[in-house]
Amino acid sequence: MTFRSEIVVCPHIKDHILPKSAPLFTPVLIVGCAIIIVSFAIRSTFGVFQIPIADEFGWLRAEFSLAIAIQNLAWGIGQPLFGALAEKIGDRKSIVLGAVIYALGLLLSAGASTPIEHQLYAWLLGFGIAGTGFGVILAVVGRASSAENRSMSLAIVSAAGSGGQIFGPPIAEWLLSFMSWQATFVVFAIAILAILLTLPMMRAPAMATKTDLEESLKEILGKAFRDPSFTFIYLGFFSCGYQLGFITAHLPAFVTELCGPIMPGGMLDNMGISTTSALGAVAISLIGLANIAGTLLAGWAGKYYSKKYLLAGIYTARTVVGALFIMFPITPTSVILFSLAMGSLWLATIPLTSGLIAHIYGLRYMGTLYGIVFLSHQLGGFLGIWLGGRMYDVYGDYTLVWWIGLAVGAFSAIIHLPIRERRLEGLQTV
């Protein structure tokens, strides 16, 4: 005789007994990463064009540096604007508009022959980066992610920006080996438009209503602006922008001109990196590669340790790494070591800074507050890029502006210490 037993699960509690884990890699996350990769790949290449453009027209280094600086400033101004636009017309329409503006800026820059033209079109490039960058993409990915996966999803998207930085500069250097910089800009314009073909897969839950968004925005902005901790976060993020902007725009040229020769038959030469120009492009890629691990590690550490002390430690480490690099002879080995070390600290500030804002002021208006703080970041980037070109023209090298960047980083490490890392009273948490 055979006995069979069954466990009958009540339909009303079945889902509670057998919960289904939400997938981490959703179509929205995949598409968001793809857009960020292409957008940031192009953004990270402009330092590679410093010397080719200056040599062709006989410009001072400050001319194209100012264009890159304006681009960063426009990115900072455009991020909260595109965030608001996404709330009004939808995420995908906002991304399409950003990509079209980005492509238009690239095409117009390809035909530019004066500094004023490059500096004017840089506004389009900056707004294009804002429309296809972190501000819009992080918001849509965050809404489409489950609560348990949201933190890791945002970290993955942030790391994807470094993925673009890995591939962008070497691709630009490779394209420049057989085509003009003008044609390279056209290729980049086609690439940013082509990525729009993935947008049909990007579907996220509807956003809050306009009434919900406006309910207490004025109140939280007033409280944040009166809170010294918000001021400290704002000022601290300025130095991050200064350092990232300066290094992205000027490190390729810095390495090209100051690095010792690459040994024929050595490891780098055998890998096809036979010139310091190529090494300068690879240095930006190595920063992006190391940053993937650094960003994910910072996001994990921020769950368990004080975010303000982690940020202070990151800025201190940047200062030490930068000082050691400039104090010793610049060699291919030191360039590689510097790139890997600085890369591990590169965007590690983003999950910690945004997490600190969310922890103190809540999640409901985190996007607005982070957008304001990010503007400080881009103001720092503007100064670092422009000052780098200006001081190069005056002194013939980057030494002084490099030390200024280290001083700014040390200031940021100190100013994070008095932040009160606890929720501000009287604020809503959603």
Side-chain angles (χ1 to χ4, degrees):
M1 182 178 296
T2 302
F3 295 93
R4 184 180 66 179
S5 63
E6 292 183 351
I7 298 176
V8 179
V9 180
C10 176
H12 298 290
I13 63 173
K14 183 177 181 181
D15 290 338
H16 296 282
I17 297 176
L18 301 172
K20 294 182 179 179
S21 297
L24 173 61
F25 288 97
T26 63
V28 173
L29 177 60
I30 294 171
V31 172
C33 287
I35 295 172
I36 286 287
I37 286 172
V38 175
S39 177
F40 276 56
I42 297 172
R43 185 197 74 83
S44 65
T45 64
F46 290 99
V48 176
F49 298 100
Q50 281 268 20
I51 293 177
I53 292 178
D55 287 350
E56 177 170 334
F57 297 111
W59 295 347
L60 296 174
R61 189 67 53 87
E63 301 289 5
F64 191 66
S65 294
L66 180 57
I68 303 177
I70 290 172
Q71 177 194 123
N72 276 261
L73 182 61
W75 178 15
I77 295 172
Q79 177 159 296
L81 295 179
F82 269 94
L85 189 63
E87 295 169 1
K88 185 176 181 61
I89 67 175
D91 300 300
R92 292 190 293 180
K93 290 181 180 179
S94 180
I95 293 170
V96 169
L97 179 61
V100 170
I101 293 174
Y102 205 161
L104 180 62
L106 287 163
L107 293 173
L108 291 173
S109 295
S113 58
T114 66
I116 295 297
E117 288 178 302
H118 276 284
Q119 293 156 13
L120 177 63
Y121 302 145
W123 287 98
L124 294 175
L125 293 171
F127 282 116
I129 296 169
T132 57
F134 285 136
V136 178
I137 302 299
L138 286 176
V140 67
V141 169
R143 291 199 313 277
S145 302
S146 63
E148 64 269 24
N149 289 332
R150 185 167 295 122
S151 178
M152 184 54 66
S153 295
L154 296 178
I156 290 172
V157 173
S158 299
S162 295
Q165 189 169 320
I166 294 171
F167 300 109
I171 289 175
E173 186 74 20
W174 173 68
L175 291 172
L176 286 171
S177 68
F178 61 87
M179 66 172 61
S180 66
W181 62 266
Q182 292 93 337
T184 302
F185 275 25
V186 173
V187 171
F188 287 165
I190 295 172
I192 197 63
L193 292 176
I195 199 63
L196 295 179
L197 297 175
T198 65
L199 271 183
M201 292 190 295
M202 178 173 274
R203 294 184 181 275
M207 289 171 282
T209 65
K210 183 178 180 181
T211 301
D212 292 335
L213 291 170
E214 293 178 349
E215 183 180 354
S216 60
L217 178 59
K218 182 178 180 179
E219 176 188 358
I220 192 172
L221 286 177
K223 289 187 176 182
F225 291 157
R226 290 191 298 270
D227 182 20
S229 292
F230 188 78
T231 302
F232 297 149
I233 296 171
Y234 184 90
L235 295 175
F237 218 29
F238 177 90
S239 73
C240 181
Y242 180 101
Q243 293 172 334
L244 268 60
F246 170 76
I247 291 174
T248 300
H250 295 286
L251 184 62
F254 181 93
V255 172
T256 298
E257 296 175 344
L258 294 182
C259 182
I262 297 173
M263 296 298 295
M267 182 181 66
L268 290 176
D269 187 49
N270 291 334
M271 294 172 59
I273 307 172
S274 57
T275 66
T276 55
S277 175
L279 180 60
V282 169
I284 298 296
S285 297
L286 290 175
I287 289 174
L289 180 63
N291 179 60
I292 294 177
T295 299
L296 295 176
L297 180 60
W300 171 85
K303 294 172 58 177
Y304 303 102
Y305 303 101
S306 167
K307 296 176 181 62
K308 72 172 186 178
Y309 289 129
L310 289 171
L311 284 166
I314 288 172
Y315 288 116
T316 299
R318 282 188 185 181
T319 301
V320 173
V321 169
L324 291 175
F325 180 60
I326 197 69
M327 288 171 63
F328 292 95
I330 310 299
T331 67
T333 299
S334 71
V335 170
I336 292 173
L337 293 176
F338 168 80
S339 300
L340 292 173
M342 184 60 72
S344 66
L345 307 165
W346 194 249
L347 294 183
T349 58
I350 288 182
L352 295 174
T353 300
S354 58
L356 192 59
I357 292 171
H359 178 72
I360 298 175
Y361 307 104
L363 293 171
R364 186 165 191 174
Y365 297 107
M366 174 188 166
T368 301
L369 294 174
Y370 181 76
I372 295 170
V373 170
F374 186 78
L375 177 57
S376 170
H377 183 282
Q378 295 308 98
L379 289 171
F382 174 90
L383 180 62
I385 296 167
W386 174 79
L387 198 61
R390 180 67 180 135
M391 287 196 167
Y392 179 90
D393 291 335
V394 174
Y395 298 104
D397 60 42
Y398 292 108
T399 302
L400 180 57
V401 71
W402 189 283
W403 282 107
I404 291 175
L406 297 180
V408 171
F411 166 79
S412 185
I414 295 171
I415 206 170
H416 276 86
L417 298 178
I419 291 174
R420 301 178 67 181
E421 195 169 352
R422 63 187 183 191
R423 187 173 302 281
L424 200 63
E425 295 181 0
L427 293 181
Q428 300 180 43
T429 60
V430 296

